[in-house]
Amino acid sequence: MASPTLALPAAGGTRPRGVLTQAMIFVVVGGTMFFGALLAAYLHMRKISHPFPAEGTEIDEYWGNVMVGTMFMSAFTVEWGVSALRRNERTQALAGFGLTVALGLCFLNLLSFSSGHAAFDAVSNSYGLVVTAMVMALGIVAGIGVALCTLTLFRVAGRQLLEPDTEQPRATAIYWHFAVAASMAVWYTVIVLK
Amino acid sequence: MTVTDTRPDAPATGSDSIVATADHKLLGLLFLGGALVFLAVGAVVGLVLRGELADQGVSIVGGNYSRLFSLHATVSALLFLPPAWIGLATYVVPLQIGSGRLALPRLHAFAAWLFLIGGALLIGGYLLGPPVGLGLANSMPTASPAGGANNANALAIVAMGLVAVATILAAVDLAVTILKLRTPGLTLRRLPMFSWATLVSSLVTIFSTPVFVGGLVILYLDQRFGGSFFAPENVAGRTVWQHSLWLFGRPEVYLFMLPGLGAASDIVATHCRRPLVNLAAARTAIAMFGVLSFGSWAAGTKVADAIVLPTYTPLTTLVLVPLAILALVWLGTALKGKPRLHPSLLFVAGAVLLLAVGALHALAAAAAGVDGQAWTTGHLHTVAFGAPTLLVAGGVYHWAPKLFGRELSPGMGRLAFLGLFGGFFLLGLGSYLAGYDNGPAHVADFDFSASDTTYGLLAAVGGVVVFVGAMTMLGDVVLAGAGRSVASGPDDPYEGLTLEWATASPPPPAGFDSVPEVRSANPLLDLRTSAEASRG
């Protein structure tokens, strides 16, 4: 009988160091261009449409501020997790990544709640359409981030990540920082600049 | 029973099954095979459209002209050239850099299947119903129908998004592979030209394609819920369309050609039996081509009315400079070398000729003040699609010993060359001439004059000849692919210069048994030179 293994076999031998970090940097560059496109569409529309936003289109600043605050805090907790792993402090790492997952879920919940209660939707007008596109994109980006942090959390809990193999958590943290930066950029554009 | 708690290393194949494989060679063939199947679909639809324009009246397509035109343009633009280059790069680049594997093989496998599923869904969208407002080759958007578009529309947009994401993921993996997995001694300045062009193309893809995805998100919401963002009277929507969705307002159109410039450089060097005369100039030209591709974003909104695509502004016309540099480098290499009349070299020569024809017509159009849109159709098929397609064919014939374990038939290769080169020339010529007569584009029927009819027929004959050429190449590839598992050709049939020729044909699962030492951009030439020196 063939010997079963706990994990899937590697696709092609040991992965060289730095590969995941490099790949994640490229993903972040692509993601920045993606959000850049949406923000540019919004700003272009803001420049040439009058009145802007259209009358009757209001956005709740309170929920926007709470959401960006939540994401801002999670940028620190994810770094807490990574630096704890670098020092081989497993319990601290569990706390750091666990809190990041919890804050990410809170953000997703707030995003869903606030878009459900917004005074506009995708069909209201051009403003509603582009803001809905940004909210949708933020939800997807944050959702992927939560999934990555959860994976890291389970790997830490299962003792699969031990110092000095911290590349995967570092790559996860880079992605999470991108999600935080994206939420702040959307917040600044839609809530602060209006 | 033994249970291991560590991840065991497996051979580079990952799995023998094509479904679960993470082997770069099988993944490359998967991308390439999918691209060639989609080429066949695009060619058949193009043939139907050309048949319709060959004669007076609407007799073949009925009321489906716009639907078929959109399918033809979208399939050709999204589902053939980019994945064909990704397929060739996935197979060849790990061998050229001496790694024998990809950096993130499972991510690449995910991208390959995402591309195939997305491509199938895209065609499914067109079969399901007539998608409206999706003519990405049209510079002006179409308003979404009141109450939201049909399911065909939604499916087609989502499918385009899947294909675009697959392209980005594959580009990320190829760039990381080149940056992180090069064999010792192979610095970036020593990279083979195809690998260099792949790196530049991947970076352009990573920077530009996400903007297309952003446009698709807005388009989906607008179409799905019946919004007014892309209504022609909305100036903001029109600008967003032209800079994120309209094919020729995006840097991606240059990606049809960019990897081909690297492939052509390797083909010329190998079959002229000497290194390129000025490797640094060629490398700089390819990088410059990649950087200039972003000029399409800076070309302004007036590009929509321009006739010379994609050379419509001084900034985008600059792209001719790197092309001219490369053509001179190739010519110089051919003059100083001993050219072998391999089919791949014919394809490169054909691509250069098509580009030259396009440049001459651009000059003629500028002098004559042509404003007929049929001219643009000719330019599109000659320059933007014809020349890169010839380079893809050249790449397949050149690397066939590695791809299939044996060379493809030289006779069929020459026939395919005649079909593709002659066909694109005639197809372009018919449209160019109709353009000089102010003929329209993207219509099922001309407002007839005698010359329009003649030119339409000429372009239709060209379309048939292209189809014959493409089918000849496909037949040759299918025959070779069927015998791949038992084929075992010579490792280095051309006395190549770069590392892919140092391994078996087809390569073993791990890529290399041993990788030669790299001390220059032509490691195999170094090996031969030192062997000759030691002999005497």
Side-chain angles (χ1 to χ4, degrees), chain A residues 24-36 39 71 74-75 78-79 107 137-138 140-142 144-145 148 170-186, chain B residues 210:
Chain A
M24 197 53 87
I25 288 169
F26 282 139
V27 168
V28 167
V29 168
T32 305
M33 294 302 290
F34 171 75
F35 273 101
L39 293 173
M71 285 303 269
S74 70
V78 79
E79 277 304 314
F107 173 77
L138 263 187
I140 292 169
V141 165
I144 293 172
L148 285 175
R170 168 48 59 201
T172 300
I174 291 172
Y175 181 85
W176 190 260
H177 290 314
F178 158 67
V180 173
S183 66
M184 292 178 83
V186 170

Side-chain angles (χ1 to χ4, degrees), chain B residues 266-325:
Chain B
D266 278 350
I267 290 169
V268 169
T270 305
H271 294 292
C272 291
R273 304 172 227 226
R274 58 153 294 141
L276 292 177
V277 288
N278 193 334
L279 194 60
R283 208 179 288 285
T284 308
I286 285 177
M288 196 195 297
F289 192 93
V291 171
L292 287 174
S293 68
F294 290 101
S296 57
W297 274 338
T301 49
K302 287 184 181 171
V303 295
D305 304 321
I307 51 153
V308 187
L309 298 172
T311 52
Y312 34 61
T313 68
L315 182 63
T316 48
T317 308
L318 272 181
V319 83
L320 289 174
V321 174
L323 284 178
I325 292 171

Side-chain angles (χ1 to χ4, degrees), chain A residues 4-6 9-14 16 18-20 22-23 26 29-30 33-34 37-38 41 44-45 48 123 126 129-130 133 136, chain B residues 1-4 8-10 12 22 101 104-106 175-176 179-181 203 206-207 210 214 218 221-222 225 229 234 236 239-240:
Chain A
T5 54
L6 285 178
T14 313
V19 160
L20 275 182
Q22 180 74 70
F26 282 139
V29 168
M33 294 302 290
F34 171 75
L38 295 179
H44 182 62
M45 200 171 59
I48 62 175
V123 289
S126 296
L129 183 100
V130 177
M136 250 180 62
Chain B
M1 185 172 84
T2 309
V3 176
T4 59
D9 281 353
R101 57 161 289 170
L104 299 159
R106 289 215 175 93
V176 175
L179 291 175
K180 290 288 178 188
L181 265 59
L203 294 178
I206 291 166
F207 274 94
I218 297 177
L221 289 172
D222 190 54
F225 300 108
F229 190 75
N234 184 2
T239 311
V240 171

Side-chain angles (χ1 to χ4, degrees), chain B residues 70 126 129-135 142-145 148-150 152-154 156-157 219 223 241:
Chain B
S70 176
Y126 281 92
V132 288
L134 290 184
T142 310
S144 64
N150 56 23
N153 242 28
I157 298 170
L219 179 66
Q223 294 272 331
W241 173 275

Side-chain angles (χ1 to χ4, degrees), chain B residues 232-249:
Chain B
E233 63 273 13
N234 184 2
V235 181
R238 200 164 65 218
T239 311
V240 171
W241 173 275
Q242 285 169 355
H243 285 92
S244 66
L245 290 162
W246 177 44
L247 184 63
F248 289 95

